């Protein structure tokens, strides 16, 4: 979960899914352990790698300059790549026994790398006082704990939201409010179509995280910690209804949606809304010509949204020779207020309360994101996130691909669901 668009994410997932298998044999039984730095009291250099672009690199380098000023005996060598290239390079480095000491990480890969013993358990560093797990915003305290191991520390948060074209909603007389139901939402899509001639939604059938919310509202989930948390029949029902709404015009024409990519359907003016991560909303103002807002997630009962906070995180790797310095660096990056002011919401809403309070957004989009996450936290709808099982990245790629085939008429709901479950079973069983 980052701030890149769905097309970049799809490319990244495909790339990572086919290269990570080589990690297991080299990572097991290796690493710097959990003790001191091994630096002998002299200067230590740690390597930090992340994905992103030049703007993020500029901010991170500013933050590192502050860190090195405070800790002059710890130098940080940096490396950044675009989303897909980052994981290609990291997989190669890890398989070769030379991964960076610290990486930017995401929940999609947490359990996979945990199973391959690639990541450093940070709990010993917490006990030794080199890393604090206090002061995180609600919903993030235990974000990266797996089987008693602390494998990452959040740097920012995001949650699923519903991005709307505010002008189209106003013209149609539809006002989304916290507690609105799926019936309210569908009725609103119909009004929008009738009053504006624009499809109410871009078509959510290929968005795994949208469907996860729907399932969680029903007491299920897309993933458990070991596999899928729903049945093939559930997906057939969901995709059958999606095709009906597409044919009726409530959802946008899938061919036009594909043609617009990488621009989103809502920013492109062919739909009035779409489900995505709240911090992705920055792209709409840049891509579109209307004004955009973040609407609440519809519900079944007016209360349970199924939402949780996702997050980018910082993880150490087990092969590091400097676990103490790794923990010291991570601690600084997630707790120091000045770092919060520098980074802003580049990687999501700041994870610790101290950094959140230090950064005062001035632009409309950042203010909307902060207000939205504050509201869902205060309303008590946030639930714990389930770390995805190993192989979940491959599963998500299959889900998106088959949903696209479905929407373009290349497969029926039953055929697409059957293929998905077959591919998911293979991906999850071969990633153990």
């Amino acid at each position: 979960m980052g701030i890149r668009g769905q097309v970049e994410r799809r490319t990244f997932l495909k790339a990572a899914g086919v290269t990570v298998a080589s990690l297991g044999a080299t990572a097991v039984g290796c690493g710097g352990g959990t003790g001191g730095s091994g630096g002998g009291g002299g200067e230590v250099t740690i390597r930090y790698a992340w994905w992103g672009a030049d703007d993020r690199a500029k901010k991170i380098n500013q933050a590192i300059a502050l860190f090195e000023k405070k800790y002059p005996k710890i130098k940080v060598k940096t490396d950044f790549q675009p989303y897909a290239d980052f994981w290609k390079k990291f997989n190669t480095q890890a398989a070769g026994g030379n991964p960076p000491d610290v990486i930017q990480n995401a929940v999609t890969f947490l359990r996979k790398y945990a199973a391959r013993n690639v990541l450093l358990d940070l709990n010993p560093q917490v006990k030794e006082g080199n890393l604090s797990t206090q002061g995180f915003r609600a919903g993030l305290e235990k974000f990266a704990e797996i089987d008693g191991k602390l494998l990452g520390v959040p740097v920012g948060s995001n949650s699923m939201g519903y991005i709307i074209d505010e002008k189209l909603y106003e013209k149609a007389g539809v006002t989304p409010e916290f507690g609105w139901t799926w019936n309210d939402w569908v009725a609103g899509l119909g009004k929008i179509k009738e009053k504006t001639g624009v499809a109410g939604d871009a078509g959510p059938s290929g968005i795994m995280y949208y469907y996860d919310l729907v399932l969680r509202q029903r007491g299920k989930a897309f993933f458990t910690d070991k596999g899928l948390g729903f049945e093939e029949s559930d997906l057939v029902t969901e995709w059958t209804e999606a095709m009906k709404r597409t044919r009726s015009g409530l959802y946008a024409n899938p061919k036009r949606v594909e043609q617009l990519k990488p621009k989103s359907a809502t920013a492109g003016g062919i739909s009035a809304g779409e489900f995505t991560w709240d911090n992705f909303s920055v792209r709409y103002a840049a891509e579109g010509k209307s004004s955009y807002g973040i609407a609440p997630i519809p519900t079944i009962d007016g209360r349970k949204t199924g939402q949780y906070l996702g997050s980018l995180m910082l993880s150490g790797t087990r092969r590091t020779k400097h676990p103490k310095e790794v923990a010291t660096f991570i601690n600084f990056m997630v707790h120091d207020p000045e770092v919060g002011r520098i980074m802003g919401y580049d990687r999501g809403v700041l994870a610790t309360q101290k950094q959140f309070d230090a950064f005062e957004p001035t632009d409309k989009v950042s203010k909307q994101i902060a207000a939205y996450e504050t509201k869902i936290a205060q309303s008590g709808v946030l639930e714990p996130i389930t770390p995805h099982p190993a192989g979940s990245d491959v599963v998500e790629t299959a889900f998106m691909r088959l949903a696209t085939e479905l929407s373009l008429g290349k497969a029926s709901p039953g055929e697409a669901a059957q293929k998905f479950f077959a591919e998911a079973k293979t991906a999850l069983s071969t990633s153990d």
Side-chain angles (χ1 to χ4, degrees):
M1 300 178 259
I3 60 171
R4 289 293 176 193
Q6 291 296 332
V7 171
E8 185 179 44
R9 178 176 176 80
R10 185 181 292 117
T11 303
F12 142 66
L13 288 170
K14 288 179 181 177
V18 299
T19 57
V20 76
S22 60
L23 290 176
T26 59
V28 176
C30 301
T34 58
S37 69
E43 187 176 288
V44 165
T45 298
I46 60 174
R47 294 155 55 217
Y48 170 38
W50 73 94
W51 64 82
D54 290 340
D55 184 56
R56 179 176 294 178
K58 181 179 179 180
K59 293 175 181 178
I60 287 177
N61 286 332
Q62 282 182 258
I64 287 173
L66 289 179
F67 173 78
E68 291 181 337
K69 184 176 181 180
K70 183 172 182 178
Y71 299 95
K73 290 188 176 182
I74 307 175
K75 303 300 179 185
V76 182
K77 184 178 180 181
T78 63
D79 182 29
F80 74 99
Q81 308 286 333
Y83 216 41
D85 294 340
F86 170 86
W87 289 106
K88 288 181 182 178
K89 184 171 183 177
F90 177 69
N91 291 336
T92 300
Q93 290 172 326
N98 188 36
D101 299 276
V102 182
I103 63 165
Q104 183 173 286
N105 204 355
V107 69
T108 309
F109 293 94
L110 197 59
R111 196 169 286 274
K112 173 176 281 188
Y113 288 158
R116 287 167 169 77
N117 290 314
V118 173
L119 303 178
L120 177 69
D121 181 8
L122 292 165
N123 272 324
Q125 297 302 321
V126 175
K127 293 177 181 177
E128 292 179 18
N130 300 318
L131 174 63
S132 173
T133 55
Q134 303 300 309
F136 285 89
R137 291 170 45 239
L140 293 171
E141 300 92 340
K142 297 182 180 295
F143 183 82
E145 282 192 0
I146 292 181
D147 300 329
K149 295 180 179 180
L150 180 63
L151 302 178
V153 179
V155 293
S157 70
N158 54 10
S159 189
M160 287 295 288
Y162 192 58
I163 308 303
I164 62 170
D165 183 318
E166 294 174 318
K167 292 181 179 179
L168 290 176
Y169 264 74
E170 183 178 357
K171 185 175 181 179
V174 179
T175 305
E177 296 178 342
F178 279 88
W180 70 329
T181 66
W182 290 108
N183 289 336
D184 297 331
W185 176 69
V186 172
L189 301 187
K191 282 187 179 181
I192 291 167
K193 177 65 176 176
E194 178 185 351
K195 300 286 187 181
T196 71
V198 177
D201 188 84
S205 55
I207 304 173
M208 186 183 82
Y209 293 98
Y210 148 80
Y211 191 43
D212 187 31
L213 295 185
V214 172
L215 289 166
R216 288 166 73 98
Q217 289 182 20
R218 298 171 182 166
K220 299 184 178 184
F222 198 99
F223 289 118
T224 67
D225 59 357
K226 299 185 184 302
L228 296 178
F230 61 104
E231 306 299 324
E232 187 174 321
S233 59
D234 295 323
L235 186 54
V236 172
T237 299
E238 173 68 27
W239 277 352
T240 299
E241 184 61 37
M243 292 307 294
K244 290 180 182 178
R245 293 174 183 174
T246 299
R247 288 192 292 269
S248 71
L250 292 183
Y251 291 171
N253 185 319
K255 291 182 179 178
R256 294 189 66 195
V257 173
E258 289 298 311
Q259 290 167 354
L260 265 178
K261 291 179 178 178
K263 180 182 286 190
S264 73
T266 300
I270 66 170
S271 75
E274 55 195 33
F275 293 90
T276 189
W277 297 104
D278 56 11
N279 66 316
F280 280 15
S281 59
V282 297
R283 69 180 290 195
Y284 294 83
E287 293 179 352
K289 297 180 180 179
S290 188
S291 62
Y292 306 94
I294 310 173
I297 298 296
T299 68
I300 293 174
D301 60 4
R303 297 184 298 276
K304 182 180 175 67
T305 66
Q307 283 174 280
Y308 47 83
L309 292 182
S311 179
L312 289 181
M313 68 193 83
L314 298 182
S315 294
T317 58
R318 286 188 74 244
R319 284 185 176 271
T320 183
K321 297 178 181 178
H322 311 295
K324 177 181 178 181
E325 285 77 8
V326 163
T328 301
F329 174 69
I330 292 175
N331 192 71
F332 183 84
M333 295 296 280
V334 300
H335 288 287
D336 186 83
E338 186 58 31
V339 171
R341 282 188 281 270
I342 291 170
M343 295 304 303
Y345 295 162
D346 181 85
R347 298 174 295 188
V349 178
L350 293 154
T352 55
Q353 193 65 45
K354 196 176 285 187
Q355 289 194 343
F356 179 83
D357 293 341
F359 175 69
E360 297 182 8
T362 57
D363 63 287
K364 176 187 173 183
V365 175
S366 293
K367 287 181 178 179
Q368 284 180 334
I369 296 170
Y372 179 73
E373 291 207 8
T374 299
K375 176 69 174 179
I376 60 176
Q378 291 175 343
S379 64
V381 300
L382 292 174
E383 302 173 2
I385 188 173
T386 302
H388 298 179
S392 61
D393 54 322
V394 182
V395 172
E396 183 178 1
T397 300
F399 188 81
M400 291 187 291
R401 187 188 75 252
L402 291 166
T404 299
E405 290 183 9
L406 168 73
S407 67
L408 295 176
K410 297 179 180 180
S412 69
E415 291 169 339
Q418 185 178 43
K419 287 181 182 178
F420 170 73
F421 268 76
E423 292 188 30
K425 182 178 180 180
T426 299
L428 295 170
S429 63
T430 58
S431 298
D432 290 338

